[in-house]
Amino acid sequence: MKMETGDLSNWRAPLAPPDDLGLEGRYVRLEPFDPARHANPIHARAEAHPEIWDYMLDGPHADGVAYGAAITQLGAPPDINFFALYSKDLGDFGGHASFLRINPTHGSIELGHILLTPSLRQSRAATEAWALMMGWAFEAGYRRFEWKCNALNASSCRAAERLGFTFEGIHRQALVAKGKNRDTAWYSVIDSEAPRVLGALDRWLAPENFDEDGLQRQPLRAFQS
């Protein structure tokens, strides 16, 4: 693995994401999570699929009120920004995600707390959401964009690798989650890699890469080099 070195005397720490930050693309809109607006529609899509909570630190929840309260509690620290994900193809909210472990001093920020209901999984809306968050981070001046997940969560590991993140290793016995040990897999994109990674995502997300049913013509790997 290449070790990055260099003079950072002219680098300036970025600002933290504002609380009212929203992001919008062709297929998805990310809104600051508001329990009153977002909890019930997301929970309604999630409640029939309790397995989607298997690798989350909390949940499943009894109802939208309990779910909204849990997100409010998770989002209480100052270094977390939660978003509700609105799929334009679906015409509804289908999940949530957040910026967390936001460290402007050292220029690092993480994408995490990802919950996708089945209607949003493996969709262009979800991929665009991660591209928008990554793009915002590097445009704001962050040097490192992180993805961490339970090392047993094969689908999350595959998603990170598909997007262009670099695997950095396993932090063994990193957490106790729901009464079980969690080893955490670490992935990252750094600023020198961002143009290549974001460029491939932008080309994959182009409307001409999808047919009239929204199915991809070429996979993301066809645009990566």
Side-chain angles (χ1 to χ4, degrees), residues 87-161:
S87 166
K88 296 181 182 181
D89 291 332
L90 183 64
D92 200 358
F93 294 94
H96 70 243
S98 75
F99 284 133
L100 71 158
R101 302 186 189 279
I102 302 165
N103 190 335
T105 300
H106 299 293
S108 67
I109 189 169
E110 180 182 342
L111 160 59
H113 290 305
I114 296 170
L115 178 84
L116 297 178
T117 60
S119 55
L120 211 58
R121 286 194 166 187
Q122 298 183 333
S123 69
R124 59 186 178 180
T127 296
E128 187 178 45
W130 318 147
L132 288 169
M133 293 176 73
M134 187 188 305
W136 183 91
F138 286 118
E139 185 175 347
Y142 285 85
R143 306 171 56 236
R144 173 181 170 84
F145 190 67
E146 299 178 333
W147 177 296
K148 303 187 186 84
C149 61
N150 191 313
L152 296 177
N153 189 348
S155 63
S156 186
C157 292
R158 286 195 300 268
E161 292 164 2

Side-chain angles (χ1 to χ4, degrees), residues 20-32 37 83-88 125 128-129 131-133 136 205:
D20 62 351
L21 177 66
L23 300 168
E24 185 152 5
R26 294 187 184 97
Y27 315 114
V28 71
R29 184 171 67 248
L30 285 75
E31 300 181 2
R37 174 171 166 76
F83 300 98
L85 277 56
Y86 179 87
S87 166
K88 296 181 182 181
E128 187 178 45
L132 288 169
M133 293 176 73
W136 183 91
L205 288 162

Side-chain angles (χ1 to χ4, degrees), residues 203-214:
R203 292 189 293 274
W204 183 80
L205 288 162
E208 57 267 26
N209 190 43
F210 297 92
D211 65 18
E212 60 276 10
D213 296 318

